[in-house]
Amino acid sequence: MQERRFATLDVFTDTPLAGNPLAVVLDAEGLDGGAMQAIAREFNLSETVFVLPPEEPRHRARLRIFTPTRELPFAGHPTVGAAVLLALRDRAERQAAAQADAAAFGLEEEIGTLSCAVEAAEDGGSGRARFKLPVLPSYLGDAVAKDSLASALGLKPNEIGFQRHQPSRHGAGPLFTFVPLASGEALARARLDVGRFERLFPQAQADALYLYAVDAEGLGHRYLARMFAPHLGVAEDPATGSAAAAFAGVLMQFEPLGEGTHDVVIRQGLAMGRPSTIDLQLVITEGALRSVEIGGQAVVVSEGVLRVG
């Protein structure tokens, strides 16, 4: 039996008990995939991340990410949370907080190496991280019919779609069906019928549903979102960074975005009482999407020791 350090964080928020909770297992060397999956089931959070030595010495760490039911090639809130935690630990070990409020390093995931930048807060227990995707989102085709989606969500077909936006499928690692809703009220009212979802997406690794609507609060590109992923063991997710990354593809498809840098704010988790804020940045040159960056805050909630083999 070995002791392995862990921490829990709330991600895409600066407030404990809000945002998306995350478990980070340090000292993960020697754990195989089966043991990691069992630990993820024990934590029973939307994701648990395991920190391993990097394959390339110039990088900070290698990460493996698990939902309660399977491993993921990439996920946003584990990347942000792990980056903040590692930067905070590095700063504490150097005992030179005034000289180490910012850090930049690479985190290796199955999808590739993510370039991260972290700004640590003065309190020593929180920070803000951002990372650039190593791959751009892919368009995966049209979604299933509006009538079927509406039936699975307890909505009317005419509540699906707004302006140019129609249901679509995109992915940047994990795959998502994106469902635009006509109002924030319809978004709040949506209720997933799991049986109908499973009939629409029968495969074990089928799409998660990402619902979004225009956020009337504030100026600029702002959206409200909800995400359902029964096949991943996640009834509803308070904040989904990988979906926000793929959402860049949705915006390229349906929004008349011009040249330059576009900043997007996504608020999620409101219906769950765990408000989250995800920052998404797109860079477009010569009419093409060139880079996608995800950012957000994270706060350490607890630290402890796992006693596992």
Side-chain angles (χ1 to χ4, degrees):
M1 192 73 67
Q2 294 182 344
E3 292 188 346
R4 301 176 187 272
R5 296 170 298 161
F6 76 89
T8 64
L9 300 92
D10 287 331
V11 183
F12 292 124
T13 181
D14 61 356
T15 304
L17 309 184
N20 199 350
L22 171 73
V24 181
V25 178
L26 302 158
D27 316 313
E29 286 184 273
L31 292 174
D32 62 18
M36 293 180 185
Q37 187 66 77
I39 292 169
R41 284 196 300 269
E42 180 74 13
F43 278 113
N44 200 32
L45 300 175
S46 56
E47 281 115 5
T48 297
V49 59
F50 296 83
V51 180
L52 297 158
E55 294 181 354
E56 291 286 341
R58 62 193 175 91
H59 298 151
R60 177 61 181 83
R62 179 166 65 94
L63 305 182
R64 292 184 68 179
I65 301 166
F66 289 78
T67 76
T69 61
R70 69 179 179 95
E71 187 171 7
L72 298 177
F74 155 70
H77 105 275
T79 303
V80 168
V84 168
L85 181 65
L86 292 172
L88 291 172
R89 287 185 170 273
D90 289 348
R91 186 177 75 168
E93 290 176 3
R94 284 193 292 266
Q95 297 182 346
Q99 301 177 15
D101 289 339
F105 46 71
L107 292 178
E108 300 170 359
E109 299 181 18
E110 184 180 329
I111 196 174
T113 300
L114 290 84
S115 299
C116 302
V118 185
E119 298 174 1
E122 294 181 359
D123 60 17
S126 64
R128 172 180 288 276
R130 64 184 189 276
F131 63 86
K132 186 173 292 187
L133 289 181
V135 299
L136 294 176
S138 300
Y139 172 64
L140 303 172
D142 295 336
V144 299
K146 279 187 180 183
D147 288 359
S148 298
L149 289 170
S151 178
L153 294 168
L155 299 173
K156 299 175 182 178
N158 63 6
E159 293 181 295
I160 294 179
F162 64 84
Q163 299 171 0
R164 302 181 183 181
H165 289 249
Q166 298 296 327
S168 62
R169 299 175 65 243
H170 294 261
L175 312 180
F176 296 91
T177 287
F178 288 88
V179 184
L181 298 183
S183 68
E185 185 274 332
L187 180 71
R189 184 163 33 86
R191 296 292 182 270
L192 182 65
D193 184 316
V194 175
R196 289 178 175 174
F197 172 87
E198 291 177 346
R199 288 192 291 274
L200 286 175
F201 305 101
Q203 298 180 1
Q205 298 184 13
D207 301 49
L209 288 183
Y210 187 85
L211 283 55
Y212 66 97
V214 172
D215 187 351
E217 294 187 16
L219 301 175
H221 296 289
R222 301 178 64 90
Y223 297 89
L224 302 170
R226 298 178 69 185
M227 198 282 280
F228 303 101
H231 289 315
L232 300 180
V234 180
E236 182 171 357
D237 198 29
T240 317
S242 57
F247 189 59
V250 175
L251 296 176
M252 288 296 295
Q253 182 178 1
F254 296 114
E255 286 291 319
L257 300 176
E259 299 285 296
T261 299
H262 300 271
D263 292 310
V264 179
V265 176
I266 301 170
R267 292 198 297 151
Q268 193 176 336
L270 303 181
M272 304 174 66
R274 297 195 67 98
S276 308
T277 301
I278 301 174
D279 297 323
L280 168 65
Q281 186 178 87
L282 296 74
V283 176
I284 301 172
T285 58
E286 298 180 351
L289 180 64
R290 302 299 181 182
S291 72
V292 175
E293 190 171 277
I294 298 292
Q297 295 178 294
V299 56
V300 178
V301 176
S302 69
E303 298 184 62
V305 174
L306 288 171
R307 292 178 176 85
V308 296

